[in-house]
Amino acid sequence: MTAEPVDVLIVGAGASAAAFAWSLAETRMNIVCLEQGDWMDPSKYPGLGGDWEARQLLGDFGFSPNTRGRSEDYPVNDSASPIAASMFNAVGGSTILYAAHFPRFHPSDFRVRTLDGVADDWPLDYASLEPYYDVNARMMGVAGLAGDPAYPPKVVPLPAVALGKVGRTLASGFNRLGWHWWPSDSAITTQDYEGRAACINAGTCLSGCAHGAKASTDITYWPAALRRGVTLRPRCRVREITVNESGMADGVVYYDADGVERTQKAHVVVLACNGIGTPRLLLNSRSRQFPDGLANRSGLVGRNLMLHPYAMVTGIFDERLEGYKGPTGCCIWSHEFYETDRARDFVRGYSLEIVRGYGPAGAALWGLSTGRISPGAGHHEAYGALFDRAAGMVAICEDLPDADNRVTLDPQMTDSNGIPAPKITYRLSDNSARMLAHAVARATEVLQAAGARDTVAEAPLQPAGWHLMGTARMGTDPARSVVNEWGRSHDVRNLFIIDGSIFVTSAGVNPTNTIQALALYIADAIKKNLANLFD
Amino acid sequence: MSENHERSSFSDHQARILAEVLDAIIPPSADGLLPGAGRIDLAGAIEDALRQTPEVLAMIVQGLSSLDELARRRGSQDFTALHETDRREVMEELASSQDAFPPVLILQTFAAYYRSQRVLEELGLEARAPHPSGYAVEPNNFALLDAVRRRPPFYRQC
Ligand SMILES: Cc1cc2nc3c(=O)[nH]c(=O)nc-3n(C[C@H](O)[C@H](O)[C@H](O)COP(=O)(O)OP(=O)(O)OC[C@H]3O[C@@H](n4cnc5c(N)ncnc54)[C@H](O)[C@@H]3O)c2cc1C
Ligand code: SF4
C-alpha cells in the first residue's frame, strides 16, 4: 500500500518529536508521525506493584533495550563502549523513563571554541533559544525556584520539588564548603497543572510515573498536538528513508504492527529517533545517490557520539534519610564546577545532580553490585547499615566531540523486523577521565561535609548512556556538519533532524530541555521559511 | 507484600532444595526477627520475575538438579540430605563451575526478599506499592539558601 503523500512525516515520537509536532501543527499542514513503540498504559507502570524495583532493575522497565525483552525495542551493540546505551521506545520515547531533571544549557555552552578553544561553537546562541526554553517550561510544567546565580534569569512556572531530608542534609554540606547549590529545575508538576496531578513523592520516576506528575511527552505535548490535528501512528517501525531521482527525500518504508512492509510518501521528512536511532536510520537509507547513507556526504553521520560520562558518588550516613520518598533524580543541583577553570587539569566542567536513595530491593541490589552487601553471614548487618542511609549525587561531565566515538551498523545484529541494528564505539577521553576524577573527589568532599561516614564512587557509571548526542551535528559548513543552523540537512533539502543528534557539543547538564527548545526553534524556522523551504 | 504467586516450574523436591539455597543466600537474622529467605515462599515471586526470560528460569531449575547431582557424588541421597557445611561446599563447587546460576539466583533472591510483606514490616516500612498513595515529605525550608542567594551571578556572560 502506498498512502497519499503527507506534508510532513516525523519519525519517532519522543521528546523532540512531540514538541516539534505541536508547534508545527499551528500551520494546519498534514503532519503524520510514525513511532515504533506503542502508547504506554500508566496503570501498568511498575510503581503500582510490589515488584516495581525488580521490574526497573532486572525486568521489563530496565534502562537497556538489550535486556528488557520488549518487541518495540531494537538492540544496540554496546560491547565496544564502557558506557551502555540506554533509552525507551514508545510514544513519549525515553521520557517515559527519564528522571525529568531539567536544566537549561548555560550561555557559555554555545561558545566553547571562542571561550575555551575546544570543539566548535554552535551556529546559534543562548539568546536564540531562550524564548523556546520558556515555552517548553510552560508546556512540560517545570518546577524550580527563580534566582539561581548560576543562570541568567529564567521562567519557572511551578514551585520546587520537595527536597526532603536528603536535600536538606546534602545542602548543608554544600553550605559548609561555601559551594553553589540550588533546587533543581524539574519537569514534574508540584501543583495540579494543566490537567496533571501534583507529584506525590512516590519515587518511581525512572520506571514511569503512574500519577501523571512527571512530564513524559505522551501526557504533555502529544495530547495537545493531536488536538491540533497531528496524526500519530504507533507500532510503525521505519526501515529507511527513500529518495527520488533528484535526491530529495520522498517518504519512508516501514513495518506496521503485523510486520507488513508499507510505504508512506511525504514532502518533508523529519527525524526524531534520538542520537543512536537517527544515525542508524540514515545509515540504513543507502541509495545510488547516497551510497554511504542518506545526508552523509560529510561522512559525519554517526560520528562525534557524546554520552556524558557520569560519576556516581554515594554517601553512607548514620541517620535514615527517607531517600526512597520523592522524585528520584530531582532534588538539588550544584554548578560550582561548571565553567572552565584554567587551574584544573581539564577543560569545560560538570554539574552535580543530587539523587535520592534506593527503595528496599534497590538498596540490596546496589549494595551487592558495589560489594557492600554479600549473601550469607553478615547480610542483615550490612543491609541495615546501608538501607535508607545511602544518598549521593551524579556528576554529569561535558563530553567533547571525538570523530572516533560513533554509531555504525552492526554487521550481524538486527531488530525483530530484520533491520540492521546500531553498534556504538566509544572511548573515554583523557579530558573526561580527569574530569571524572575531579568530580569524584569534590563529590566525596561534599558528602563528608554533609556527614557521610563512608562514600562509594562509581566512574564512569556503566548503565548511564542515556544522553545521546552529536551524531548528525549542526553547523554552517556542509563539509563539517550534517544539518544547517535550523536542522535542515545540507545534502537533502527536505530532510530535517530535530533530536540530540544535532548537538555540536554536549554541555555538562542533562540535554532534554535543550533538545526540545531546539526542536521548537526548528519548527519556528520552518514556519518562517515555508515559502522557500528548499532553497 | 501479600501477593499470590503460582509456582509451577519447580517440583516439590526442587522447591525444598531451593529453600535451602535461599536460606544460604539470606539466612535468618541473628535476633531471629528477619526470616531466612528460604522460610518465606519466594519461589513463586522468582518465577514470576523470570516469566519473560524462560531460559533463565530453566537455568535455575537445571542448577538445582546439579546441586543434587553433586550431592550424590558425595554419597548423599540428595542435596537436602547433606549437612550444612557440606551443602555450603557443594554450593561453592557449583559456583566455581557454573558462572551464571548463582549470580542470577542471588539477584532474584535479593529482589524478591526485599519486597515480601514480612520483611518490609520488620524493616519498619509500609508493605505497599509506592503508587497510588505516595509519601509525605517534609516541607521545603529555603532559609538554607541564604548564603547562595547572596552570591552574585557566576555564569559566563557571552
Ligand atoms: C533512564 C533515563 C533517565 C534519563 N534522565 C534524564 C533526565 O533526568 N533529564 C534529561 O534531560 N534527560 C534524561 N534522559 C534522556 C532523555 O530521555 C532524552 O534526552 C530524550 O528523551 C531524547 O529525546 P529524543 O526525542 O531525542 O529521543 P527519544 O525520546 O529517545 O525518542 C526517540 C523515539 O524514536 C523512536 N524510533 C527510533 N527509531 C525508530 C524507527 N526506525 N522507526 C520508528 N520510530 C523510531 C523510538 O521508539 C523513540 O520513541 C534520560 C533517559 C533515560 C533512558
Ligand atoms: S515522585 Fe512524583 S514524579 Fe516521580 S513517580 Fe512519584 S509522583 Fe511521579
Side-chain angles (χ1 to χ4, degrees):
Chain A
M1 182 192 88
T2 301
E4 280 297 294
V6 297
D7 294 326
V8 178
L9 180 67
I10 306 170
V11 187
S16 55
F20 177 88
W22 168 79
S23 173
L24 200 66
E26 220 178 45
T27 60
R28 302 281 162 212
M29 286 194 282
N30 181 6
I31 302 171
V32 170
C33 176
L34 302 181
E35 162 60 49
Q36 69 187 334
D38 215 333
W39 286 94
M40 297 304 289
D41 177 355
S43 74
K44 298 204 169 79
Y45 279 159
L48 284 155
D51 58 350
W52 69 277
E53 290 182 283
R55 287 181 69 192
Q56 180 192 315
L57 297 167
L58 306 173
D60 58 338
F61 275 74
F63 299 155
S64 166
N66 298 334
T67 56
R68 278 194 295 258
R70 296 171 78 247
S71 61
E72 297 92 326
D73 288 322
Y74 58 92
V76 179
N77 180 349
D78 51 15
S79 57
S81 168
I83 302 173
S86 161
M87 63 176 76
F88 203 72
N89 299 303
V91 175
S94 304
T95 65
I96 299 296
L97 294 193
Y98 82 153
H101 197 252
F102 223 58
R104 299 178 179 199
F105 278 17
H106 289 219
S108 60
D109 290 325
F110 300 92
R111 290 280 168 272
V112 297
R113 164 64 65 183
T114 304
L115 293 171
D116 297 324
V118 290
D120 278 305
D121 288 349
W122 288 53
L124 47 80
D125 58 11
Y126 182 87
S128 333
L129 280 192
E130 198 169 12
Y132 301 98
Y133 277 129
D134 292 349
V135 172
N136 205 41
R138 189 171 55 76
M139 288 300 292
M140 294 290 275
V142 173
L145 183 69
D148 186 348
Y151 277 103
K154 56 182 154 64
V155 169
V156 189
L158 291 163
V161 295
L163 307 190
K165 277 192 192 171
V166 169
R168 177 163 51 78
T169 306
L170 269 61
S172 72
F174 283 102
N175 281 349
R176 253 172 229 131
L177 296 171
W179 292 353
H180 168 262
W181 68 274
W182 203 261
S184 293
D185 284 357
S186 313
I188 289 177
T189 48
T190 47
Q191 295 171 345
D192 292 356
Y193 181 80
E194 305 275 330
R196 287 160 57 201
C199 171
I200 50 167
N201 299 307
T204 66
C205 321
L206 289 172
S207 52
C209 176
H211 199 67
K214 188 186 80 168
S216 49
T217 57
D218 58 328
I219 61 164
T220 57
Y221 278 108
W222 274 121
L226 299 187
R227 281 196 298 274
R228 284 183 170 188
V230 176
T231 303
L232 172 51
R233 288 196 229 136
R235 298 306 299 258
C236 295
R237 176 177 276 156
V238 175
R239 186 184 75 202
E240 64 177 289
I241 302 149
T242 51
V243 287
N244 62 19
E245 278 306 307
S246 35
M248 297 285 269
D250 66 358
V252 301
V253 179
Y254 69 98
Y255 295 101
D256 69 14
D258 301 319
V260 176
E261 183 182 310
R262 297 187 181 278
T263 59
Q264 174 63 60
K265 294 289 178 191
H267 299 301
V268 172
V269 176
V270 179
L271 299 189
C273 299
N274 81 32
I276 289 180
T278 286
R280 174 204 187 200
L281 185 49
L282 290 170
L283 294 172
N284 270 324
S285 305
R286 286 165 207 259
S287 59
R288 191 173 43 78
Q289 294 104 315
F290 298 97
D292 299 323
L294 191 61
N296 194 21
R297 291 198 176 122
S298 65
L300 288 173
V301 168
R303 291 195 182 267
N304 297 304
L305 171 69
M306 296 176 282
L307 293 176
H308 278 155
Y310 265 57
M312 177 151 175
V313 187
T314 307
I316 319 290
F317 293 80
D318 284 328
E319 71 273 31
R320 287 184 78 146
L321 295 170
E322 300 190 340
Y324 58 91
K325 302 179 179 177
T328 322
C330 292
C331 184
I332 64 175
W333 66 34
S334 170
H335 289 212
E336 184 68 29
F337 306 103
Y338 196 82
E339 306 283 3
T340 294
D341 178 345
R342 294 285 169 197
R344 298 183 199 134
D345 61 355
F346 57 88
V347 278
R348 308 297 298 156
Y350 58 88
S351 60
L352 295 169
E353 168 189 335
I354 276 42
V355 286
R356 302 181 202 234
Y358 301 93
L365 294 171
W366 178 75
L368 183 68
S369 72
T370 54
R372 298 279 155 152
I373 300 180
S374 317
H379 173 87
H380 294 289
E381 293 70 19
Y383 182 84
L386 205 132
F387 171 62
D388 205 20
R389 292 176 164 83
M393 62 196 75
V394 288
I396 303 173
C397 294
E398 172 154 356
D399 203 0
L400 291 169
D402 174 343
D404 290 335
N405 288 341
R406 61 190 297 203
V407 176
T408 51
L409 296 177
D410 190 90
Q412 267 104 40
M413 207 182 253
T414 62
D415 62 24
S416 55
N417 293 108
I419 307 172
K423 171 178 182 177
I424 61 171
T425 305
Y426 179 90
R427 191 184 69 87
L428 200 65
S429 71
D430 292 343
N431 193 64
S432 292
R434 288 194 290 268
M435 202 186 302
L436 281 169
H438 188 273
V440 167
R442 297 294 83 75
T444 305
E445 205 175 332
V446 75
L447 285 165
Q448 285 166 348
R453 66 175 143 79
D454 195 4
T455 56
V456 183
E458 298 159 84
L461 189 65
Q462 193 267 347
W466 36 59
H467 299 163
L468 310 169
M469 301 161 286
T471 47
R473 69 205 305 237
M474 68 184 340
T476 48
D477 179 357
R480 301 191 61 242
S481 53
V482 177
V483 297
N484 73 4
E485 64 278 18
W486 45 289
R488 191 183 70 183
S489 155
H490 291 300
D491 301 345
V492 185
R493 290 176 164 242
N494 63 344
L495 177 71
F496 290 80
I497 306 178
I498 58 166
D499 57 52
S501 310
I502 64 178
F503 278 24
V504 180
T505 55
S506 68
V509 288
N510 324 59
T512 308
N513 200 359
T514 304
I515 289 175
Q516 291 183 300
L518 202 50
L520 293 168
Y521 172 87
I522 294 171
D524 260 10
I526 291 178
K527 288 178 224 168
K528 283 181 200 140
N529 288 295
L530 266 185
N532 46 3
L533 198 56
F534 309 141
D535 290 352
Chain B
M1 232 148 281
S2 58
E3 284 168 37
N4 293 323
H5 304 281
E6 280 196 16
R7 184 156 54 73
S8 57
S9 302
F10 306 113
S11 66
D12 286 349
H13 176 65
Q14 284 169 334
R16 277 196 296 279
I17 306 178
L18 183 61
E20 298 300 335
V21 175
L22 296 183
D23 252 0
I25 294 173
I26 306 185
S29 61
D31 57 12
L33 290 176
L34 284 159
R39 304 304 123 189
I40 47 181
D41 183 21
L42 297 190
I46 291 174
E47 265 194 81
D48 265 2
L50 294 177
R51 219 170 282 288
Q52 303 277 0
T53 46
E55 66 286 357
V56 180
L57 191 56
M59 184 186 68
I60 290 182
V61 173
Q62 173 58 42
L64 297 174
S65 303
S66 303
L67 288 173
D68 256 355
E69 180 56 35
L70 291 173
R72 277 196 283 274
R73 279 193 216 153
R74 289 173 177 241
S76 172
Q77 191 192 338
D78 60 34
F79 179 77
T80 56
L82 287 172
H83 289 297
E84 203 189 319
T85 25
D86 293 330
R87 273 190 215 153
R88 205 169 305 130
E89 278 179 27
V90 164
M91 283 192 280
E92 276 163 16
E93 199 179 328
L94 185 68
S96 57
S97 65
Q98 269 194 359
D99 48 357
F101 163 68
V104 168
L105 190 58
I106 290 168
L107 284 179
Q108 295 298 337
T109 306
F110 277 29
Y113 184 81
Y114 286 105
R115 57 175 280 215
S116 86
Q117 179 165 5
R118 165 109 189 260
V119 172
L120 294 180
E121 283 172 356
E122 207 52 65
L123 291 172
L125 301 169
E126 295 168 80
R128 64 167 172 87
H131 286 274
S133 305
Y135 302 106
V137 175
E138 63 183 35
N140 287 331
N141 171 7
F142 289 137
L144 268 175
L145 264 177
D146 287 349
V148 192
R149 283 187 205 274
R150 282 195 293 274
R151 194 168 167 171
F154 66 98
Y155 58 90
R156 282 193 282 182
Q157 308 274 356
C158 48

